Amino acid sequence: QKEVEQDPGPLSVPEGAIVSLNCTYSNSAFQYFMWYRQYSRKGPELLMYTYSSGNKEDGRFTAQVDKSSKYISLFIRDSQPSDSATYLCAMSLTGGGNKLTFGTGTQLKVEL
Amino acid sequence: DADVTQTPRNRITKTGKRIMLECSQTKGHDRMYWYRQDPGLGLRLIYYSFDVKDINKGEISDGYSVSRQAQAKFSLSLESAIPNQTALYFCATSDPEKAGFGETQYFGPGTRLLVL
């Protein structure tokens, strides 16, 4: 079993839809949770990060962490074609000095 | 200009050849990383370096070696390439001064490697 599980998709939604992307993990020691966005033929870039449980909102994006269920989510409101990308969750044991463990990524396509 | 650059961007090589992938950064970060990305497997850490004198193996270091020539440069070598090493390779950097914010890593554009 992988340490971090993520549905690979592809996920196709119409413009304006609410998108929910999810990851589950097995290591309860993970404390920091991140979402990276990767456009085709580009490197991943950090989209959002959260520490421990709770929600964090940034514009159209909301990151949610439920440590009791070992489950994290990224919600995208009013999705746009420019949101079409692969979204990777990542997590680490501590805030620094420790490597990231990535999910396999979910490919999202937002259609006009 | 890009903060993290990788050369070459694409490379085709033959089984048994030695090749080097190079990474340079202008972000001034001490920490640098090499990952490979494969469909269905995600990003996997090959090697990482927390400063010029500190090199560490990641989860899949067999068949690879690295060199940290300077704070800004981190090279990945495949001593004798095999088809199984066909993948997308990424270099990344991070700043320990901001480590409390979750080890944000900044990725280069990637090198697409095909081993025939």
Side-chain angles (χ1 to χ4, degrees):
Chain A
Q1 183 187 6
K2 291 179 182 175
E3 208 167 8
V4 179
E5 299 276 1
Q6 186 175 5
D7 187 334
L11 180 62
S12 184
V13 301
E15 184 179 9
I18 296 174
V19 176
S20 173
L21 305 169
N22 312 292
C23 287
T24 59
Y25 61 95
S26 56
N27 188 345
S28 58
F30 284 134
Q31 296 279 4
Y32 289 84
F33 303 91
M34 287 140 275
W35 286 94
Y36 280 80
R37 179 174 60 194
Q38 185 178 15
Y39 289 115
S40 180
R41 310 193 78 83
K42 300 283 187 182
E45 57 179 349
L46 182 68
L47 187 61
M48 295 192 72
Y49 67 86
T50 52
Y51 169 68
S52 195
S53 286
N55 292 358
K56 184 172 183 177
E57 188 173 321
D58 184 1
R60 296 184 295 110
F61 299 89
T62 299
Q64 208 169 70
V65 175
D66 182 349
K67 290 191 70 181
S68 63
S69 301
K70 300 192 188 71
Y71 189 86
I72 69 171
S73 300
L74 177 70
F75 297 95
I76 307 174
R77 292 184 299 280
D78 187 25
S79 56
Q80 303 294 310
S82 59
D83 295 327
S84 297
T86 296
Y87 291 80
L88 302 107
C89 63
M91 41 201 81
S92 67
L93 300 177
T94 64
N98 213 312
K99 67 181 181 69
L100 296 179
T101 301
F102 284 88
T104 53
T106 298
Q107 185 179 354
L108 172 67
K109 184 173 183 180
V110 181
E111 302 193 79
L112 291 169
Chain B
D1 289 340
D3 292 327
V4 184
T5 58
Q6 293 183 235
T7 55
R9 291 296 312 278
N10 295 280
R11 178 74 184 268
I12 300 174
T13 191
K14 294 182 179 180
T15 297
K17 294 291 187 181
R18 182 181 188 276
I19 67 163
M20 180 182 289
L21 309 182
E22 299 188 348
C23 176
S24 295
Q25 53 113 347
T26 58
K27 299 184 80 67
H29 291 171
D30 285 328
R31 296 179 177 176
M32 298 186 73
Y33 311 80
W34 275 105
Y35 292 90
R36 64 176 281 177
Q37 187 175 38
D38 300 273
L41 296 176
L43 281 160
R44 293 181 292 166
L45 185 63
I46 305 172
Y47 270 95
Y48 61 103
S49 170
F50 281 176
D51 65 40
V52 174
K53 297 180 181 179
D54 179 69
I55 304 288
N56 304 281
K57 292 183 178 180
E59 60 183 296
I60 53 163
S61 58
D62 288 348
Y64 301 94
S65 63
V66 290
S67 173
R68 185 81 184 265
Q69 300 95 324
Q71 185 204 39
K73 296 184 182 297
F74 193 34
S75 300
L76 176 72
S77 294
L78 284 67
E79 299 302 325
S80 178
I82 58 175
N84 181 262
Q85 291 175 314
T86 293
L88 188 53
Y89 289 84
F90 287 103
C91 173
T93 73
S94 69
D95 181 0
E97 294 299 313
K98 297 182 179 178
F101 295 99
E103 193 74 44
T104 302
Q105 295 188 9
Y106 300 88
F107 286 80
T111 293
R112 196 170 293 272
L113 175 66
L114 173 61
V115 183
L116 300 174

